[in-house]
């Protein structure tokens, strides 16, 4: 594997245990780590919000479909049309 020390596009790796870092460097590393964690959490929230939206739309369409089918099926039943009222006075 070729060495990346001469390539300006690749950053050098820093070993935090062996190299001496200033307080400013450590503070900057801490801020950037927190920033990256917040970005990851935002992406996870956005992805889960999208997934929750799809699930909500799917469940809502299922409920509307079952309700619509129930109303349609009940409106076609005709067993009460032939019903004779036993308490109806004979004339």
């Amino acid at each position: 594997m070729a060495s990346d020390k001469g390539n300006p596009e690749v950053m050098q790796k820093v070993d935090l245990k062996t190299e001496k870092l200033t307080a400013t460097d450590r503070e900057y590393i801490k801020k950037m780590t927190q920033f990256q964690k917040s970005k990851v959490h935002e992406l996870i929230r956005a992805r889960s919000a999208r997934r929750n939206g799809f699930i909500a739309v799917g469940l809502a369409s299922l409920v509307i479909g079952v309700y619509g089918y129930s109303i349609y099926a009940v409106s076609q039943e005709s067993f009460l049309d032939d019903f004779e009222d036993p308490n109806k006075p004979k004339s």
Side-chain angles (χ1 to χ4, degrees):
M1 184 169 165
S3 174
D4 293 328
K5 290 183 180 182
N7 189 352
E9 298 292 323
V10 178
M11 294 180 65
Q12 293 180 349
K13 291 184 179 180
V14 177
D15 187 11
L16 298 176
K17 294 179 181 177
T18 60
E19 294 191 26
K20 304 276 191 219
L21 294 175
T22 64
T24 307
D25 291 339
R26 290 188 189 277
E27 186 65 31
Y28 182 72
I29 290 170
K30 183 187 272 186
K31 284 183 182 180
M32 288 308 295
T33 303
Q34 290 173 349
F35 176 74
Q36 288 296 333
K37 284 182 181 180
S38 69
K39 283 298 197 181
V40 168
H41 288 297
E42 286 177 18
L43 289 173
I44 289 172
R45 266 187 267 130
R47 194 176 305 153
S48 66
R50 185 180 314 141
R51 182 177 48 217
N52 289 346
F54 286 140
I55 290 171
V57 168
L59 288 174
S61 63
L62 179 70
V63 167
I64 291 171
V66 167
Y67 178 76
Y69 176 75
S70 298
I71 295 299
Y72 176 73
V74 168
S75 68
Q76 288 189 356
E77 291 184 5
S78 61
F79 73 92
L80 289 177
D81 294 342
D82 300 334
F83 182 71
E84 293 181 18
D85 189 12
N87 297 330
K88 185 177 179 184
K90 293 183 181 181
S91 39

